[in-house]
Amino acid sequence: MKVYIVGAGPGDPDLITVKGLKILQEADVVIYADSLVSEELVNRSKPEAEVLKSAGMTLEEMVDIMEARVREGKMVARVHTGDPSMYGAILEQMVLLKKRGIKFEIIPGVSSVFASAAALQAELTVPDLTQTVILTRAEGRTPVPEREKLKDLASHHCTVALYLSATLVKKVVQSFYDAGWEPDTPVGVVYRASWPDQKIIRTTLENLEQDLRDNGIRSQAMILAGHALDPRLVDSEDFRSKLYDPTFTHQFRKGV
Ligand code: SAH
């Protein structure tokens, strides 16, 4: 038996992977972050499963439970919001589990960055505009390494996705300006992407702070910035990929 570290997806219970759902339905023990994983999803675990909320536990308490249950021959699902690899604090769990000789497996999930791109109906990598997405966060109480300062990352003028940053927009906007971004650069913000109370805000760098304040958004929001978020792109024919270009030859099709 082992511990499954499962990505629950961004909120909508149908956005867990098929594999993740199967594990959740089979697990004897389910541990989840109550504020961010939907109850409806957790309720899909089997009726006799032991369901525990992680919010009140310390890391050691949580790993003690995981270890004890696995040693009893039980299957444990540790359910994380979005994809576990993004700001999931799973490394510290894996370090302790490994030290104690408990096996684990990670099942990926739909990160909020992708649920937010879907809500905004955006392609984050638009041909001839940008081919790169930077996933990062603003520096708050948790420090960001010096060589990853937002100003430096933003100097690439690619798409930038900001987790955990809704209360730090003043700093965020300044960093983009310091990197030479124009005040009218498009920004999309999605609050609680894929939840019933999802909110979508299309704005610009200069209006970002005001628009978040007007909408009372201080947490659970994904900020996506860059020209790929321009809502006018969907009405333009300038950004065709080579893949479906009639004149372009590739492995599966001969160009004309
Ligand atoms: N592992 C998660 C991220 C956890 S950190 C993932 O892959 O999505 C928590 C941050 O993720 C929040 O501050 C917010 O920026 C973002 N987030 C999580 N769920 C979200 C959602 N449904 N909509 C928008 N942003 C979300």
Side-chain angles (χ1 to χ4, degrees):
M1 276 299 167
K2 57 182 162 183
V3 173
Y4 290 88
I5 298 175
V6 180
D12 179 343
D14 285 350
L15 287 178
I16 191 171
T17 64
V18 173
K19 190 163 186 171
L21 181 61
K22 280 184 187 161
I23 288 167
L24 181 71
Q25 288 169 332
E26 275 176 43
D28 304 299
V29 185
V30 176
I31 307 177
Y32 74 108
D34 26 322
S35 55
L36 291 163
V37 175
S38 101
E39 291 278 329
E40 197 183 325
L41 182 61
V42 173
N43 288 341
R44 294 186 191 171
S45 55
K46 56 186 182 189
E48 66 275 27
E50 181 186 10
V51 177
L52 303 167
K53 298 180 175 185
S54 63
M57 293 184 207
T58 64
L59 173 64
E60 282 72 17
E61 285 167 352
M62 192 162 29
V63 176
D64 285 349
I65 294 173
M66 290 173 172
E67 180 180 7
R69 298 299 184 271
V70 169
R71 293 204 191 286
E72 290 165 18
K74 293 184 169 163
M75 177 172 168
V76 177
R78 167 68 173 115
V79 183
H80 283 264
T81 177
D83 182 86
S85 71
M86 287 308 298
Y87 306 109
I90 58 169
L91 177 60
E92 57 194 38
Q93 284 175 50
M94 295 191 288
V95 167
L96 289 189
L97 290 170
K98 180 158 186 238
K99 205 156 131 194
R100 300 179 186 198
I102 305 293
K103 289 201 175 65
F104 51 84
E105 182 178 337
I106 303 176
I107 313 297
V110 176
S111 180
S112 53
V113 66
F114 301 121
S116 299
L120 289 158
Q121 301 190 323
E123 172 163 1
L124 302 181
T125 53
V126 178
D128 296 326
L129 195 58
T130 179
Q131 291 291 286
T132 303
V133 184
I134 291 179
L135 307 182
T136 188
R137 64 175 299 169
E139 183 167 59
R141 282 200 298 167
T142 305
V144 171
E146 184 61 35
R147 57 185 181 276
E148 296 171 20
K149 292 291 177 227
L150 188 52
K151 171 180 181 270
D152 299 325
L153 301 179
S155 69
H156 295 286
H157 291 260
C158 59
T159 304
V160 178
L162 291 157
Y163 292 77
L164 298 161
S165 304
T167 54
L168 301 162
V169 279
K170 219 189 179 83
K171 263 165 90 169
V172 165
V173 170
Q174 190 55 50
S175 303
F176 282 119
Y177 284 154
D178 292 347
W181 289 39
E182 298 298 331
D184 63 352
T185 306
V187 179
V189 180
V190 184
Y191 168 75
R192 286 173 61 84
S194 85
W195 291 83
D197 55 351
Q198 160 182 292
K199 268 190 204 169
I200 298 174
I201 294 166
R202 291 182 186 277
T203 180
T204 55
L205 263 193
E206 62 187 331
N207 295 323
L208 176 61
E209 199 189 350
Q210 186 66 43
D211 282 345
L212 288 195
R213 201 176 317 122
D214 290 350
N215 285 279
I217 294 174
R218 297 186 49 80
S219 65
Q220 297 186 49
M222 171 60 56
I223 300 171
L224 288 167
H227 288 287
L229 281 306
D230 191 332
R232 292 169 305 186
L233 286 179
V234 76
D235 298 312
S236 147
E237 288 177 22
D238 298 342
F239 299 99
R240 288 192 59 148
S241 74
K242 294 226 185 306
L243 190 58
Y244 301 108
D245 178 339
T247 64
F248 186 71
T249 296
H250 60 68
Q251 200 181 345
F252 302 106
R253 187 172 47 75
K254 196 170 168 6
V256 289

